[in-house]
Amino acid sequence: MTTPSRPADDSAELLPVATPARTRAALRALIRPDRGLALTGIGVLVAATAVGLLVQPLLGRIVDIVADGRPAGDLTLPVVLLVAVAAVQGVTTTIGLTRVARLGETVLARLREQFVERALDLPADRLERAGAGDLTARVTGDVARVAEAVRSALPEMARSVLAILLTLGALALLDVRFLLAALLAVPVQLLTARWYVRRALTLYADQRIANGAQQQQLLETIGGAVTVRGHRLERQHTERGAGRSRKAVELTMRSVNLVLGFYGRLHIAEYIGLAAVLIAGFWLVRDGAVSIGTATAAALYFHSLFGPVNAALVLLDDAQSAAAGLARLVGVTDLARPAEPVAGKTEPAGGAEPAPVPHQRTGPHRKTGPQQRTAPGAAVVVDAVSHAYGPGRPVLHEVSLTLRPGEHVALVGTSGAGKSTLARIVAGVQQPTAGTVTAPAGAGEPSVVLVTQEVHVFTGSLAEDLRLARPDATDAELRGALSAVHALDWAEALPDGLDTVVGEGGHRLDPARAQQLALARLVLAGPALAVLDEATAEAGSAGARVLERSAEAALAGRTALIVAHRLTQAVAADRVVVLEAGRVVESGPHDELRAADGPYAALWRAWSGSRTAPHP
């Protein structure tokens, strides 16, 4: 169960945050596969802590030997036992903490994998409403906070809780009155913990939201720097950024003051408890109930609680911060897993449930080479699909469309007509508000691949980047795919050929080459249906013809829906569908639509101008 986040401003609908009960359930599910490791680690730490508790009685024994005036030789055995206790405790503590740390890292890795997997499946419109800053803050700050807690707080918390429980038991074994005296500090400590927790959870959640809003503002300002300068909005954006930064700093200072008050109350509890144990020891020794060494051991036991108790309570700071971060991560993973069917859905032919297909994210891959890349044609039926990005913001209105097997259909229309939205719905990346889409179901190969104008070149060798579509592809198949999209010449001319490192920090690929790389991945994936959303738009005029040839080769033999940035793509398509204000207003071959002198003809005249119209 999740609850919506409070937006940092009226324009954002932040991603949800899981409830405490749902967060605890998710944590149990993450740990469940490694129950054996958890039990072993805790068991070894219990043994290490129990061995360590022998130090205080041995020191008390030494005090009694000295107080009774016994020979110096009587000190040998207690000293030797102290050395043995230190050695055994050191070894067992190391083993226990290592196993607990391994458990933490395993759970953390599982959490990261689940978060990334589910975040990639989030609907594009949901991310747009939340803003990039919210997701960025979760995948960076919140993951880092949880990781820090797992690596440091989890082992220390386990060790501290065990030390507290076993030490209180040891005090009771010495004399139950020592335990009662020590427990006088507990009410102050519990009140301190309650005071802190009730304030910290809300404070840290607000701090995470404020940091997300701050990052969102920075992303918007930096990403739109040209527009900001062009409209002379530098002052407004600076003031807005400063305001959000001030809010983040204010919340940080409130958390600092909260921690300072927390420590002050803990010192009061320590003073009360130690004073009570010392007074109890004085009365018990005076009455002959215990020896001086036993009273010394009791005082040392309570003094040894300072570290574990303070650590456990102080770790509430990390625990509350990590819990807030974990709740935000679980909120995203739950959001990506629909709890019930939605009104509009995309259905694969044959009745199989589809997996959303993000940009160039492919499922099972075929095992034929690029020379056999033509996939069987697949029919696609769009039935009365409507979509809105929010109340009063409709984009598509009952759009119906059929793509025949092997047919290439070009979507054209003015900006805002709904072309990209329809393309994402057909690709399965986005669910429609109403209506259905019957798409091909993959059998041993991906059913749909979407290629957009925003192509990402992953860091690694060019061959590794290509193999994202088909991990088992041979070098010959990689070259065949590059050759199919007319990219082999420049790929082999790179410094290390297919082994050249590209992406961040590597060899830079210009937009046209990056798009050819995406089209080569499409060839390797071999989908039945390909959706191109303005896939040649980033090339500029110089590389447009080359990319159009590459796209035509990549689409050969497969059903294709093409959002046409340039109308030359519409000329080459089997059919042109014209969208206007979210509705299909025309459909037919290029020549027929030109002759009809309707909306498409107007678009063609506006686009072509003085150009010589190419022949189909």
Side-chain angles (χ1 to χ4, degrees):
M1 183 177 182
T2 57
T3 56
S5 298
R6 286 171 293 173
D9 54 53
D10 294 337
S11 63
E13 182 185 336
L14 299 185
L15 297 169
V17 177
T19 62
R22 174 67 193 113
T23 303
R24 289 192 295 270
L27 184 58
R28 288 193 296 271
L30 287 169
I31 296 175
R32 191 172 297 119
D34 298 291
R35 290 191 298 268
L37 183 61
L39 293 174
T40 304
I42 296 298
V44 175
L45 283 180
V46 169
T49 305
V51 170
L53 292 178
L54 296 175
V55 171
Q56 288 83 354
L58 289 172
L59 290 175
R61 180 65 176 167
I62 292 174
V63 169
D64 281 338
I65 290 172
V66 173
D68 293 343
R70 298 179 189 176
D74 290 352
L75 296 174
T76 303
L77 180 59
V79 170
V80 170
L81 290 176
L82 281 174
V83 174
V85 165
V88 173
Q89 185 184 27
V91 172
T92 52
T93 300
T94 300
I95 296 174
L97 290 179
T98 299
R99 297 189 71 83
V100 172
R102 184 179 301 169
L103 170 68
E105 290 296 333
T106 303
V107 170
L108 179 61
R110 191 175 293 125
L111 172 65
R112 281 173 166 163
E113 290 169 1
Q114 289 185 7
F115 179 83
V116 172
E117 179 184 355
R118 305 281 166 73
L120 288 174
D121 288 340
L122 286 175
D125 57 326
R126 185 65 184 87
L127 287 177
E128 290 170 0
R129 294 200 304 272
D134 187 28
L135 186 62
T136 301
R138 296 183 192 225
V139 81
T140 54
D142 291 326
V143 170
R145 185 70 67 178
V146 173
E148 181 182 352
V150 165
R151 288 171 181 151
S152 58
L154 177 62
E156 188 62 31
M157 176 67 84
R159 186 180 176 186
S160 298
V161 170
L162 289 173
I164 293 169
L165 295 176
L166 294 178
T167 301
L168 291 176
L171 276 172
L173 289 176
L174 292 179
D175 192 295
V176 72
R177 286 168 286 189
F178 285 126
L179 175 61
L180 295 175
L183 291 179
L184 291 177
V186 172
V188 180
Q189 292 168 336
L190 291 178
L191 289 173
T192 299
R194 183 183 178 190
W195 172 83
Y196 176 78
V197 169
R198 295 177 70 175
R199 288 162 176 77
L201 188 59
T202 303
L203 179 59
Y204 284 121
D206 290 343
Q207 196 173 3
R208 298 275 78 77
I209 293 173
N211 289 338
Q214 183 186 35
Q215 290 192 32
Q216 176 67 26
Q217 182 61 45
L218 290 173
L219 289 171
E220 290 177 352
T221 301
I222 295 173
V226 175
T227 303
V228 170
R229 287 195 296 267
H231 290 275
R232 302 296 178 90
L233 298 174
E234 295 95 331
R235 181 176 178 181
Q236 293 92 319
H237 276 256
T238 300
E239 290 176 352
R240 194 176 304 163
R244 293 186 175 181
S245 296
R246 280 194 297 271
K247 185 173 181 179
V249 171
E250 176 188 347
L251 290 170
T252 301
M253 293 308 300
R254 283 175 56 190
S255 67
V256 170
N257 290 331
L258 183 66
V259 171
L260 291 176
F262 178 68
Y263 275 115
R265 287 166 171 79
L266 286 185
H267 292 326
I268 295 173
E270 291 172 359
Y271 173 79
I272 293 173
L274 184 57
V277 170
L278 290 174
I279 292 171
F282 171 78
W283 288 106
L284 291 173
V285 170
R286 192 187 68 171
D287 294 341
V290 298
S291 67
I292 296 176
T294 301
T296 302
L300 291 174
Y301 269 137
F302 186 82
H303 188 272
S304 70
L305 284 174
F306 286 7
V309 169
N310 287 349
L313 294 177
V314 167
L315 286 174
L316 286 173
D317 181 61
D318 292 335
Q320 293 302 313
S321 182
L326 182 61
R328 283 161 55 83
L329 297 178
V330 173
V332 172
T333 62
D334 285 350
L335 179 66
R337 190 193 303 124
E340 56 186 20
V342 292
K345 59 181 180 180
T346 303
E347 298 176 346
E353 286 299 320
V357 185
H359 168 58
Q360 280 292 296
R361 182 182 176 213
T362 62
H365 36 80
R366 62 186 309 178
K367 297 185 178 180
T368 55
Q371 68 275 12
Q372 298 173 306
R373 65 187 179 278
T374 54
V380 179
V381 179
V382 179
D383 185 17
V385 163
S386 298
H387 190 70
Y389 287 107
R393 296 173 57 195
V395 179
L396 298 175
H397 305 272
E398 297 187 351
V399 173
S400 293
L401 174 67
T402 299
L403 279 71
R404 295 183 293 273
E407 184 182 24
H408 291 183
V409 174
L411 275 180
V412 302
T414 58
S415 178
K419 304 185 297 297
S420 293
T421 299
L422 181 58
R424 291 201 296 265
I425 290 174
V426 170
V429 173
Q430 191 164 303
Q431 294 294 334
T433 305
T436 60
V437 177
T438 303
E445 62 184 12
S447 57
V448 185
V449 168
L450 170 66
V451 182
T452 72
Q453 61 178 317
E454 298 174 356
V455 175
H456 182 71
V457 179
F458 294 88
T459 301
S461 70
L462 183 65
E464 291 171 340
D465 204 304
L466 286 167
R467 286 194 176 98
L468 290 171
R470 250 185 62 201
D472 63 346
T474 64
D475 286 350
E477 289 170 334
L478 299 185
R479 289 187 173 87
L482 290 169
S483 176
V485 298
H486 312 291
L488 184 59
D489 290 341
W490 65 256
E492 291 187 330
L494 293 174
D496 297 313
L498 296 184
D499 293 327
T500 302
V501 176
V502 295
E504 188 71 26
H507 186 90
R508 183 180 177 276
L509 298 182
D510 60 40
R513 290 182 174 182
Q515 196 63 261
Q516 283 182 306
L517 180 60
L519 292 171
R521 289 201 293 258
L522 186 152
V523 171
L524 286 166
L529 170 65
V531 179
L532 269 59
D533 185 5
E534 298 190 350
T536 64
E538 292 293 322
S541 300
R545 293 295 177 88
V546 174
L547 272 187
E548 286 171 8
R549 287 174 53 223
S550 300
E552 183 179 356
L555 298 178
R558 66 182 97 252
T559 308
L561 180 65
I562 307 160
V563 177
H565 177 71
R566 294 177 174 83
L567 292 190
T568 51
Q569 294 173 296
V571 174
D574 300 314
R575 183 158 50 103
V576 179
V577 173
V578 182
L579 282 182
E580 192 172 282
R583 292 181 171 85
V584 175
V585 295
E586 274 190 312
S587 177
H590 165 78
D591 287 337
E592 288 184 11
L593 294 184
R594 281 191 64 195
D597 199 25
Y600 179 75
L603 284 173
W604 177 261
R605 287 192 297 270
W607 179 81
S608 59
S610 60
R611 296 183 181 90
T612 301
H615 296 288

